Amino acid sequence: MRVGAHVSVAGGVDNAIDNQRDVGGNCGQIFTHSPQVWQNPNVGDGEAAAFREGTAAHLDGPWVIHSSYLVNLCTPKADLRANSVDSMQREVDAAAKLGIDYVNVHLGAHTGAGTAAGLDNAVSALDELDVPEGVTVLIETDAGSGTKLGGEFEHLATVLEESSHDLGVCLDTAHVFAAGYDLSTRAGVDETVAEFDDVVGLDNLHCLHLNDSKHGCGTNKDEHAHIGEGLIGVEGMRRIVTHPDLWDCPFVLETPTENGKSFAWNIDRVRELRG
């Protein structure tokens, strides 16, 4: 089973290897820099080599780079769009340097431009990228609050169909649940997976962010909970990690550190639910 967590790169991106092993993960996700600012990943050649070598020696992979929280592909604002495209280009270039397969990004918010215009903006922004060979941009599902797009599978399907790039999808279980897809029961998971396959296609699903939710289905509230201890719960989580169509997907946790539980506890929990 490929399961891991979003780990720190403090002190050098190559430190993510030991950080991942410390929590019992064999794949995972990183930020290349603080996600709250516009910043160059600035990965040195030595760090990159150590990261590639450490991954090959100790982990199964894959790794995912999560883009900056400031990126907004759907925006109608020219300056924000330019910064978003520039930031994404730096991330896909860093991924190529590090030997990382995926760069994950939210579509962002249309901020009043409307759904159709927002999706068009996202497609055209993505199409400005020069994506290196071996790197795939993943569009992450969203909880769907306000004018944010990506909360409906149809949004993802539109971007994948219209972009000139061969994009993929990262499905976040907490986001999908908050957006109104019920994952709290075996039947609900089966229905959601079937709908995803019908609308987007399971062949486009490259990664799952495995998170329970502190808020109910359809609330559009994005707050993650420990695996099996949120409102998705044990039944839903067990079905997600044992569903035959999701069996081979890498699961990356973004669960909280609270109540004496952190990534290691959650990774053990996932393996326990897998059986």
Side-chain angles (χ1 to χ4, degrees), residues 240-255:
I240 292 166
V241 301
T242 60
H243 193 289
D245 289 333
L246 308 179
W247 186 266
D248 293 327
C249 284
F251 295 93
V252 176
L253 279 68
E254 301 170 321
T255 46

Side-chain angles (χ1 to χ4, degrees), residues 21-43:
R21 297 177 71 196
D22 286 347
V23 297
N26 56 20
C27 66
Q29 181 175 268
I30 60 171
F31 292 123
T32 60
H33 58 83
S34 169
Q36 308 287 358
V37 296
W38 299 116
Q39 186 175 331
N40 190 329
N42 200 26
V43 176

Side-chain angles (χ1 to χ4, degrees), residues 33 41 43 46 50 61 74 89 94 99 107-108 154 177 188 203 214-215 258:
H33 58 83
V43 176
C74 293
Q89 186 63 58
L107 290 176
E154 288 78 8
F177 185 68
D203 56 328
K214 291 185 178 181
H215 302 283
E258 60 186 16

Side-chain angles (χ1 to χ4, degrees), residues 68 71 94 101 149 154 163 177 195 203 231 240 245 258 260:
S68 168
V71 170
D101 296 319
L149 300 181
E154 288 78 8
S163 175
F177 185 68
E195 183 172 352
D203 56 328
L231 293 177
I240 292 166
D245 289 333
E258 60 186 16

Side-chain angles (χ1 to χ4, degrees), residues 204-257:
N204 293 309
L205 180 62
H206 293 262
C207 178
L208 278 90
H209 283 170
L210 190 66
N211 304 301
D212 211 324
S213 176
K214 291 185 178 181
H215 302 283
C217 183
T219 59
N220 303 121
K221 293 182 178 180
D222 175 15
E223 191 174 4
H224 300 175
H226 294 304
I227 300 299
E229 298 197 349
L231 293 177
I232 295 177
V234 172
E235 181 183 351
M237 281 291 163
R238 178 179 285 114
R239 183 54 176 165
I240 292 166
V241 301
T242 60
H243 193 289
D245 289 333
L246 308 179
W247 186 266
D248 293 327
C249 284
F251 295 93
V252 176
L253 279 68
E254 301 170 321
T255 46
T257 297

Side-chain angles (χ1 to χ4, degrees), residues 163-181:
S163 175
S164 62
H165 292 302
D166 186 12
L167 305 171
V169 170
C170 173
L171 190 154
D172 185 303
T173 54
H175 297 170
V176 166
F177 185 68
Y181 298 89

Side-chain angles (χ1 to χ4, degrees), residues 87-154:
S87 178
M88 284 297 296
Q89 186 63 58
R90 293 173 187 267
E91 299 289 21
V92 295
D93 290 342
K97 186 172 186 176
L98 292 164
I100 290 179
D101 296 319
Y102 303 116
V103 174
N104 180 69
V105 65
H106 292 269
L107 290 176
H110 65 71
T111 61
T115 298
L119 294 175
D120 285 346
N121 291 340
V123 170
S124 62
L126 287 164
D127 285 354
E128 287 188 33
L129 298 177
D130 180 10
V131 181
E133 184 176 355
V135 177
T136 300
V137 175
L138 303 182
I139 308 302
E140 183 178 343
T141 54
D142 198 274
S145 63
T147 65
K148 291 181 179 178
L149 300 181
E152 298 177 22
F153 292 159
E154 288 78 8

